[in-house]
Amino acid sequence: MSVDITVTIGGAAGQGIQTVGDLLAQVCQKAGLYVMAINDFESRIRGGHSFVQIRISDHEIFSPRYEIALLVALDRQTVLLHQNKIPDGGIILSGESFDDAQKPITAVEFDKLAEEAGGKITANTVAAGSCLALLGAPFEFLKDILAARFGAKDSSVLEKNIKAAELGYQAVAETEFKWAFAWEKGPEKGLLMNGTKAIALGALAADCRFASFYPMSPATGVIRNLTEMTEHIPFVVEQAEDEIAAVNMIIGASFAGVRSMTATSGGGFCLMTEGLGLAGIAEIPIVIVNAQRPGPATGLPTRTAQGDLLFVINASQDEFPRFVFAPRSVSEAFTDTIRAFELSEKYQVPAIILTDQFLNDSVFLTTEQFTAPSSVPRFIAADADLDDPENYHRFAVTESGVSPRALPCRGKAIVKSSGNEHLEDGHISEDKDNRTRMVNKRNAKLEAMTGEMNGPEEYFEDAEILLIGWGSSAGAIKEAVDLLRDKDIDAGCLTFSDMWPFPAEKALAAADNAKKCVTVELNSTAQFKRLLRQQTGIHCAGSILKYDGRPLFPQDIIEEIDRFL
Amino acid sequence: MLTKEDFFCDFENKWCPGCGNFQILDAMKEAFAEMDLSPEKLLIVSGIGQAGKTPHFFKCNFFHGLHGRALPVATGAKIANHDLTVVVSSGDGDCYGEGGNHFISAIRRNIDITLLVHNNKVYGLTKGQASPTSDIGFQTKMQPHGVIAESFHPLTAALAFGAGFVARGFSGNKAHLNQLIQKAIAHKGFSMVDIMQPCVSFNSVNTHAWYKKRAYDLADKNHDTTDIDAATALSRKWGDEIPIGILYQKESSSYTDRIDHLDQGPLIGFTYEKERVQQQIDNG
């Protein structure tokens, strides 16, 4: 039997729904299942409505589903907001019953059982116990996870939690659940990973040593992970006074020779754009993570979007080459981060990693191996690599546009850099011929940079309807293709992660046999459709657009596909 | 032994004849030479404005960045390699106007860099608008009825934010300024020297002669540089008598001293270790 179940745990911020979600995900991982979980929350610390939605499956999954088989409601709001997504046979598990519930409620007195176990704080463990009992999971699985989670603490904490889990488990032992299935133990299929953690690991694997940031959702998690991971590794994290300082600090650190990064969201990226241009003209490698959320201005701080694509490609005045990567998955968030550091340094240009709240905050069980590279190539010139270090010119014109990059105070070569237009030696110049030469020098990098870009991933690319998307919505698009094909609709997809310089030739080759192209994007003006047209001439029949701040579900595509049949 | 000629750069100077920047440039070169700081060992970071151009008239490593942002660039460079001697050359508009937030934060971090502010109380590069340090009533083409905001007092502010080395120099007293710059660089932690200078093109009030008549050396007055209250009172003095010299000095551990691992050496010296990274990945 095929397993594919969605469990939603909802409540107010501060009720600990995350804990229930984590426990379920870990138990599933131990059992050799696949999971993915989205975190949906408001911009507040207490109250309101938040939920964790976990999809459990026996095959790898990359997107959430609408239909909820099991709803764990820690408050009434959760019942009202989610009960319409519960099909027949689904269960609402709640500590109390509500008059306005339209679906049957299985009551488990989470708080009372928690107090019986030794403290109200264990109510979430009670809920996790009930969920797993309904799903048919052996109790031992949960016990093992609790031991790993609380084992290091005072032994009474673990005892209370095991007791709480047991009480929750027994409370529904007699309840029949249509989606219960036979659980087996392991083997584990892979790592539980979210985007922020994957980017932080990628940064370490690229030998990044400095991160400067100003807190902003949904980017802060990248820095939090870096901070936790570098407790025993020489690495400096500095909370800057603002995003302008953050980007200028990493420019200074990178100029001095240390690989450096910052992470922000659209509003902070706006403040960084002058610095981005400085890195462009002064040819300083830096990596900026822009985790998208809906805007403009403050927009929806804790929600997701893909509205910054054209902005980051064009951000800052005038023109200069840059890289933009939009990872499609957590494993690609890891590898794209490594690539961003390497290519940024190789071509001495800024690199932007364009993620979003969905990829940053969602947890995926990934089968990809996360492997630290055996060495990290550096693209730095020491005195010995230079013909005449005493007459070093930082911006020497070369055919490739890339000048040998010496570091200040590391030898005889004196490094002079300016954000004003400059001569090859770094001094300011307003000479018209020099200006043209320097613009050409910087732009000369574009050809080789374009060669570094990967084309789209192809999936039934010769189909009648070709869905085209980018970044983190790739998972939902691919799954929509499967669902459409099950309905005998000849659909396929192309999904992009390497956004700029745009891999136009590879895109054209991939779309060679396309009959009808439709972009799928989380913005209101079909930014990728426009970019694709601009860079390749490919004409799309239209777009499926979603901009309510929520992640893309395969169903969003299915519901709109009729327009294109 | 180095001389100021070792910092000679044949790049065409673009300042107005008679600008106070020339004496500041000379004092900087003499101070670096006397400290035996060779051009290869020195990094000057600057922002935008006439003061921001200073490093172009030097032979040494430099980074000439954005308006107001010299301090964060310098902070990043120092974090990456705390063996560097980092000097920031800024102006009153660049540092106290556009870069005000960075001024506050650099002081709070006590990052071991030296900030030299060329303070001519007017915007030179953009042709004569009021600056944060222009006196109330100062008339410009943009402020024809006189500046209506209170003047910013950089030394008072620096003391209030907790700066450990606060001094004022005068471009017209080059030997004195040279000594101040040397003491500022030798100070462990953040050091600042606000340098009074005339602007011959756009400030006809605060001229060389105006300053010369008013400036007096604190070293002649038995000022206790560890007395923050006395320093604060002196920092507010403006008008007939203006003190120059070190107002306040107190050393404490600098930003990079406070970071784990950096006692083993500068950040730039650490090399990639695959095993440690893989361990982080495997920790899950």
Side-chain angles (χ1 to χ4, degrees), chain A residues 116-290:
Chain A
E116 202 178 307
K120 214 174 162 182
I121 195 167
T122 61
N124 298 307
T125 310
V126 176
S130 300
C131 281
L132 288 161
L134 288 172
L135 291 166
F139 182 70
E140 292 305 309
F141 287 18
L142 177 56
K143 205 173 158 185
D144 290 349
I145 294 299
L146 290 171
R149 195 179 174 101
F150 300 108
K153 295 189 181 171
D154 168 8
S155 64
S156 70
V157 175
L158 175 60
E159 282 162 26
K160 280 179 203 167
N161 276 283
I162 290 178
K163 179 79 184 155
E166 230 165 1
L167 292 172
Y169 198 87
Q170 285 159 4
V172 293
E174 303 303 317
T175 309
E176 290 279 321
F177 181 46
K178 196 171 142 187
W179 281 273
F181 61 97
W183 292 56
E184 285 161 31
K185 188 141 193 162
E188 287 182 34
K189 298 294 195 305
L191 297 167
L192 283 173
M193 185 66 67
N194 67 23
T196 62
K197 199 165 161 186
I199 292 168
L201 287 170
L204 292 184
D207 203 27
C208 173
R209 295 276 174 184
F210 178 55
S212 181
F213 78 107
Y214 189 85
M216 188 167 191
S217 298
T220 316
V222 174
I223 307 292
R224 195 192 59 241
N225 275 290
L226 273 174
T227 306
E228 286 168 11
M229 290 170 188
T230 57
E231 183 72 31
H232 304 292
I233 294 178
F235 190 103
V236 178
V237 176
E238 174 61 8
Q239 183 171 324
E241 53 271 30
D242 53 34
E243 287 87 347
I244 298 171
V247 72
N248 279 278
M249 276 187 202
I250 65 168
I251 287 171
S254 179
F255 171 70
V258 166
R259 285 192 174 181
S260 304
M261 71 178 292
T262 186
T264 187
S265 187
F269 192 85
C270 287
L271 293 180
M272 292 184 182
T273 52
E274 195 188 18
L276 180 73
L278 175 62
I281 194 168
E283 303 189 44
I284 305 286
I286 54 168
V287 173
I288 304 178
V289 177
N290 178 21

Side-chain angles (χ1 to χ4, degrees), chain A residues 6 14 18 53-54 90 95 181 192 225 249 258 272 280 285 292 298-299 306 311 333 350 390 434 448 457-458 506 515:
Chain A
T6 294
Q18 188 76 50
Q53 182 161 320
I54 303 179
F181 61 97
L192 283 173
N225 275 290
M249 276 187 202
V258 166
M272 292 184 182
Q292 297 165 101
T298 308
Q306 292 185 303
F311 172 48
E390 288 180 60
N434 177 72
E457 188 185 310
E458 301 170 22
K506 290 166 185 161
K515 290 154 197 98

Side-chain angles (χ1 to χ4, degrees), chain A residues 197 209 229 232 238 241-242 244 248-249 252-253 256 370 372-373 409 414-420 427-428, chain B residues 11 40 56 60-62 64 69 72-73 76-77 84 101-102 105 109 255 268 271-272 274 276 278 280-281 284:
Chain A
K197 199 165 161 186
R209 295 276 174 184
M229 290 170 188
H232 304 292
E238 174 61 8
E241 53 271 30
D242 53 34
I244 298 171
N248 279 278
M249 276 187 202
F370 282 50
C409 312
I414 287 180
V415 185
K416 303 172 180 182
S417 278
S418 180
N420 286 43
H427 283 296
I428 300 174
Chain B
F11 186 67
E40 309 85 61
H56 286 283
C60 75
N61 297 283
F62 70 73
H64 172 215
R69 318 304 170 200
V73 169
L84 298 183
N101 200 11
H102 312 311
S105 299
R109 288 187 187 100
Y255 177 90
I268 191 175
T271 48
Y272 177 69
K274 178 188 178 352
R276 287 185 110 162
Q278 193 62 47
Q280 284 301 326
I281 295 170

